[in-house]
Amino acid sequence: MRKLLACLALLIVVAGIFSGCWSRKEMSELAIVLGAGVDRTPDGQVRLTLQLARTGALAGGGEGGGGRGATTWVVSGTGSTILDAQRKLAERISRHINWTHNVVYIFGEEAARHGIRQYTNYYSRSPQPREITWVLVAKGEAKDILETISQLENTSAQDIGYLARAKTGFSINFKDFKVMLATKGSNPIASRVEIVERGVTLGPEKEKSVVHKGAALTGTAVFREEKLVGWLDESETRGLLWLRGEILKGVITLSSPTEPGKEISVEIMRGHTEVEPYYDGESVWFVVKIVVEGDLLEQQSSEDITERDVRKAIEEEMAREVEEKARLALDKAQGEYGVDIFGFGMAFHRKYPREWAELEDRWDEVFAGAYVDFVLESHLRRSGLLGKRGSVRE
Amino acid sequence: MLEGGKIDSKQAILLMVAMVLPTAFLSVAAVTASLAKQDGWISILLATLGALLIAWLAVSLGLRFPEKTLFQFPEVILGKWPGKVVAFLYIWWYIHLNVEVLRQYGSFLVAAFMPETPISVFMLLIMAIAAYAVRNGLEVYSRVNELILPLILVSVVILNILAAPEMSMKRLLPVFEHGAVPIIKGAVMPTAWMGEIVTMAVLIPYLNKAKEAYRIAITATLIAGFFMLITQLADVAIFGPVTAAWLFPGLDAARVIHLANFLERLEPVVMVIWVAGVMIKISVFYWAAALGSAQWLELKDYKPLVLPVGVIIYALSIMAHDSLLDLFAFLGMFWGPYALTLFIVGMPLLLLVVAVIRGQGGSRH
């Protein structure tokens, strides 16, 4: 009997202790951040913009119950640090601000130009945000980017996140961005995000159609050390990806070797890049070897690609096209900005660790004056389902 | 005998691994990377080599007195009072070690997972469980460890495999950039970690096959060294120059895992490794401190001492440091030289040399 009573008492105590957690927060008490933007105000303050998920609207039964209402709520607050700004925002948000599901960090152009390092610390010191959040730089203000809506995804932050993840241009996560900031002889780069016309949303009648403006990735932001110095556009970004050896997918379009004015498109299937630095005690030069493999998937012209010579000509044309793109990015980085954004410095560091010690502090200068030689190797592996064209009269 | 339990060789190996690995997994990479940069993995290899020597030292010493523990044979070797002093210092060391481990345990949980919970709550709970384990004896927590440690090791491997897409082996180059000195400095702390294998000198009387002690100590050190090595390589390949800035790079390596937009945020796995592993680690040192105290006082049973020793450890741990940074500065600057020179290498070497000169004890085989 006594044992039974003791057990009962123990059960009651245990039930009391284990019924809940010390600082639990229910879903309905959280303001979930999906995108965070940092702008610098003219007086040097931080303006933090948060895109919050309206969880009720996101979870709602969908089309059935009429309009779902807006899926996001965007709030901005100013403070001297990010945490300070967030604290002030908390006075206007009825729930706990929760960073664990954040998808993108967007830095405004002004903030990036003044030096980005001062705005990154909170994101890695606090345990809530993820290290794999995408980092982007807005052309203009970060606030405007977060205030757009997406037609295809639930929220524009997720939309931007999916665009970054698709890796059609250059995109980088927070962890790798920090590694770039911490590495001597490399300069950080991040995707550029900008508001553009993205499509038309159709109304019931044609007149009511709305041209939809949305955020899209339009190239790359280039930093010197920690300060934004300029941009690369989409086609220069292709060159950047070739030079960094990060090409994953894409298309090379080249002019037909036999019929002027007609084009051929090759889908890139595989590619890789090796950068070999050389140093003779005075000057530094690089040999960049790029290998590209692709499938020919569209042909405006009508040459017979089953012939070996024609394929050879196309392969040469592919190589020329890739080199041209790479040169475009290289010239801009060496000439206009004078910064090494391709990791050439790291390649040099790996090969010449001793010589690196003398050069690391003026690496960008050395890089800007370095001669770069390209060696290209291109292969046309397949041609879709057709050999020669089917719609051509013999 | 005070402790009636006997464990077999496999249990002993697992126990010695669990005694070293849990805390090392979380922060070893930051310690070595801050000194040896990308060459930290060489530091680990060096430390493993050092720990093998230490393991040989501890086992050679222990096997001379297969019926006695580290708290008893100094008396035989050095005479009653000097021997008592050495044994007392070892009791203190096991208490001190546990004070730091316990504090680290609580600090990590508060810093990374539950910032609003008082650190004393975590520390009290784990001490209560450890006290229960120690009261039940060596055999019981060795068996618990047989279940826990394989899960920990498998989790560490899986976490590192899942984080592989974020790794770039180029971050480990160039090798040997800053020469040998930083690498040796970086090896001090991991050697102190793996050097905890001196606990073999306490464990030998409770092995059911004492003559396998060499094999046990060497296998355990190699396993611990191997897991420290892969953790080190993985963390530096993920974070490069940022590694040294993290307090817990093992946690942050799990935080970068993302697979197919679906498998993300695996920090709780790290938390499980930490809580389960540190529970065993604390139990081993707690048991050694309680058993040692009983043997030192020549009591018939160590169980009455479990509570007092626990209270001392808990209270000292609360008082030891006033911040997490203080704790890390203490461990980074002071702990390695302190533990290595006195308890891990210094005194065992002295004891062994004296024992050999005086011809005391003898190997059984």
Side-chain angles (χ1 to χ4, degrees):
Chain A
M1 191 63 202
R2 191 175 273 179
K3 240 181 185 166
L4 197 72
L5 275 176
C7 281
L8 214 64
L10 196 68
L11 267 179
I12 290 167
V13 171
V14 165
I17 293 173
F18 291 130
S19 62
C21 307
W22 193 289
S23 40
R24 77 175 186 286
K25 293 181 182 82
E26 302 289 345
M27 261 295 275
S28 58
E29 298 168 15
L30 297 179
I32 295 169
V33 178
L34 290 174
V38 171
D39 287 304
R40 187 186 159 93
T41 60
D43 57 342
Q45 298 267 80
V46 178
R47 188 182 62 200
L48 177 69
T49 306
L50 300 179
Q51 190 179 86
L52 302 172
R54 293 187 65 224
T55 36
L58 282 171
E63 286 89 308
R68 301 189 294 172
T71 49
T72 55
W73 186 43
V74 181
V75 287
S76 301
T78 309
S80 35
T81 64
I82 289 180
L83 195 55
D84 185 38
Q86 188 201 316
R87 197 64 224 159
K88 284 177 184 151
L89 274 177
E91 291 164 3
R92 270 176 276 154
I93 300 173
S94 52
R95 303 178 176 187
H96 292 283
I97 297 171
N98 180 288
W99 286 86
T100 52
H101 295 274
N102 188 22
V103 185
V104 288
Y105 297 131
I106 300 174
F107 294 94
E109 198 174 338
E110 257 327 283
R113 280 194 198 282
H114 270 89
I116 203 162
R117 200 173 269 136
Q118 58 179 317
Y119 303 116
T120 56
N121 189 240
Y122 173 70
Y123 297 144
S124 46
R125 216 172 260 283
S126 159
Q128 277 195 0
R130 300 185 230 203
E131 286 291 302
I132 50 167
T133 308
W134 299 107
V135 175
L136 308 101
V137 177
K139 187 152 172 52
E141 298 209 327
K143 182 170 183 277
D144 299 334
I145 306 287
L146 287 171
E147 283 173 356
T148 58
I149 54 169
S150 167
Q151 298 301 316
L152 223 45
E153 309 299 339
N154 280 326
T155 66
S156 59
Q158 282 168 300
D159 192 313
I160 296 168
Y162 287 136
L163 286 173
R165 189 164 65 118
K167 294 257 178 203
T168 47
F170 177 78
S171 48
I172 188 161
N173 68 30
F174 186 59
K175 186 263 295 179
D176 289 326
F177 188 74
K178 273 195 312 185
V179 173
M180 281 179 160
L181 272 170
T183 308
K184 269 198 173 177
S186 94
N187 290 284
I189 39 179
S191 334
R192 168 167 79 174
V193 58
E194 187 179 358
I195 296 176
V196 294
E197 277 182 18
R198 269 186 79 182
V200 181
T201 317
L202 298 182
E205 295 140 48
K206 185 71 179 147
E207 302 86 84
K208 285 189 183 168
S209 305
V210 201
V211 175
H212 162 58
K213 288 195 154 196
L217 307 189
T218 60
T220 309
V222 178
F223 290 76
R224 175 182 290 121
E225 220 266 300
E226 57 148 348
K227 290 179 174 164
L228 178 71
V229 288
W231 314 95
L232 299 182
D233 65 19
E234 279 115 319
S235 111
E236 290 154 356
T237 300
R238 299 302 299 172
L240 170 87
L241 292 172
W242 281 119
L243 283 165
R244 291 179 61 86
E246 285 179 22
I247 219 72
L248 290 173
K249 45 189 102 163
V251 169
I252 304 170
T253 298
L254 43 106
S255 39
S256 151
T258 52
E259 293 170 50
K262 301 247 169 109
E263 307 273 327
I264 292 171
S265 278
V266 175
E267 187 167 342
I268 303 159
M269 301 312 289
R270 209 169 283 123
H272 76 100
T273 305
E274 281 165 40
V275 179
E276 191 68 34
Y278 293 94
Y279 184 50
D280 60 3
E282 271 173 47
S283 51
V284 174
W285 70 98
F286 294 93
V287 176
V288 179
K289 187 182 175 200
I290 301 177
V291 181
V292 48
E293 293 177 31
D295 293 4
L296 188 148
L297 283 184
E298 189 177 352
Q299 190 184 11
Q300 289 178 340
S301 48
S302 47
E303 60 270 77
D304 184 358
I305 60 160
T306 56
E307 280 175 31
R308 202 181 165 80
D309 293 343
V310 174
R311 287 205 304 276
K312 265 262 164 323
I314 293 174
E315 283 178 347
E316 272 164 32
E317 204 50 35
M318 272 166 72
R320 218 184 47 74
E321 189 65 32
V322 170
E323 184 177 339
E324 198 175 292
K325 285 268 164 64
R327 283 247 178 251
L328 215 61
L330 186 69
D331 290 347
K332 198 139 193 182
Q334 283 191 319
E336 197 175 332
Y337 303 134
V339 291
D340 175 9
I341 49 176
F342 309 114
F344 283 13
M346 289 185 274
F348 187 88
H349 183 183
R350 285 193 287 271
K351 188 170 171 190
Y352 298 102
R354 263 165 243 299
E355 292 82 347
W356 171 251
E358 318 153 18
L359 295 181
E360 62 178 349
D361 290 322
R362 53 183 185 94
W363 177 253
D364 281 329
E365 224 175 283
V366 176
F367 166 77
Y371 174 75
V372 180
D373 194 20
F374 284 92
V375 179
L376 275 107
E377 195 184 312
S378 58
H379 304 280
L380 199 57
R381 294 289 188 209
R382 280 162 293 270
S383 58
L385 298 180
L386 285 176
K388 54 181 161 185
R389 294 199 56 175
S391 60
V392 173
R393 296 180 188 177
E394 303 258 340
Chain B
M1 212 183 271
L2 287 173
E3 162 69 58
K6 286 268 182 190
I7 56 174
D8 67 24
S9 305
K10 184 187 158 213
Q11 285 174 323
I13 292 172
L14 294 179
L15 198 63
M16 292 295 101
V17 174
M19 181 183 71
V20 172
L21 211 55
T23 45
F25 162 68
L26 210 57
S27 39
V28 67
V31 177
T32 45
S34 69
L35 293 161
K37 306 280 182 293
Q38 69 272 30
D39 288 337
W41 61 276
I42 308 178
S43 298
I44 302 280
L45 289 180
L46 216 60
T48 311
L49 215 63
L52 285 175
L53 291 176
I54 292 164
W56 174 84
L57 177 67
V59 174
S60 306
L61 188 58
L63 278 182
R64 286 186 162 259
F65 308 94
E67 304 297 323
K68 292 191 185 310
T69 69
L70 182 57
F71 309 104
Q72 293 168 319
F73 59 66
E75 275 179 56
V76 182
I77 299 174
L78 300 173
K80 188 164 169 79
W81 289 109
K84 281 277 186 206
V85 171
V86 168
F88 182 78
L89 286 174
Y90 267 106
I91 294 167
W92 160 249
W93 186 59
Y94 277 112
I95 289 176
H96 192 182
L97 196 52
N98 236 358
V99 165
E100 303 299 336
V101 173
L102 182 61
R103 183 70 188 212
Q104 246 179 305
Y105 167 80
S107 299
F108 171 68
L109 290 178
V110 173
F113 295 105
M114 301 183 202
E116 288 163 44
T117 311
I119 190 168
S120 49
V121 173
F122 293 119
M123 284 158 59
L124 188 65
L125 288 175
I126 196 106
M127 275 310 278
I129 297 167
Y132 180 66
V134 171
R135 254 191 90 82
N136 280 303
L138 174 68
E139 241 180 71
V140 172
Y141 68 77
S142 294
R143 282 184 197 181
V144 173
N145 182 53
E146 257 184 301
L147 297 174
I148 290 177
L149 188 71
L151 289 178
I152 290 178
L153 298 185
V154 169
S155 305
V156 171
V157 170
I158 290 177
L159 284 179
N160 283 326
I161 290 172
L162 290 178
E166 289 295 320
M167 296 178 196
S168 160
M169 290 304 155
K170 285 182 177 173
R171 297 197 176 117
L172 294 161
L173 298 171
V175 179
F176 226 67
E177 189 185 6
H178 303 286
V181 176
I183 295 175
I184 293 167
K185 280 187 186 164
V188 172
M189 200 53 202
T191 311
W193 247 310
M194 285 191 271
E196 286 161 11
I197 196 77
V198 287
T199 308
M200 278 305 291
V202 183
L203 206 63
I204 283 174
Y206 309 110
L207 297 175
N208 68 356
K209 289 191 196 108
K211 62 177 190 295
E212 287 188 7
Y214 281 111
R215 193 175 70 82
I216 293 167
I218 285 166
T219 314
T221 304
L222 288 177
I223 293 174
F226 172 74
F227 277 90
M228 277 167 109
L229 182 68
I230 59 170
T231 306
Q232 171 78 27
L233 287 171
D235 292 355
V236 174
I238 293 171
F239 291 110
V242 182
T243 316
W246 292 118
L247 294 174
F248 314 107
L251 169 75
D252 295 291
R255 290 175 67 209
V256 301
I257 292 172
H258 60 114
L259 267 188
N261 224 23
F262 153 70
L263 198 63
E264 294 182 351
R265 294 217 79 116
L266 294 177
E267 292 107 300
V269 178
V270 178
M271 191 177 175
V272 169
I273 294 175
W274 181 249
V275 174
V278 173
M279 196 276 279
I280 299 294
K281 180 163 185 150
I282 288 180
S283 299
V284 177
F285 295 147
Y286 190 173
W287 171 79
L291 180 75
S293 309
Q295 289 174 339
W296 197 76
L297 297 167
E298 284 156 31
L299 303 183
K300 285 202 190 71
D301 193 4
Y302 75 87
K303 289 197 173 78
L305 291 179
V306 170
L307 195 63
V309 169
V311 169
I312 292 171
I313 292 170
Y314 180 68
L316 285 178
S317 193
I318 298 269
M319 295 191 299
H321 304 283
D322 56 26
S323 78
L324 175 59
L325 294 170
D326 191 43
L327 167 71
F328 273 75
F330 172 80
L331 291 179
M333 303 285 293
F334 181 71
W335 186 262
Y338 160 75
L340 275 177
T341 51
L342 281 176
F343 301 101
I344 294 175
V345 180
M347 293 203 297
L349 197 61
L350 176 82
L351 290 171
L352 187 64
V353 168
V354 176
V356 169
I357 291 172
R358 291 191 173 176
Q360 282 152 335
S363 319
R364 274 261 166 111
H365 47 95

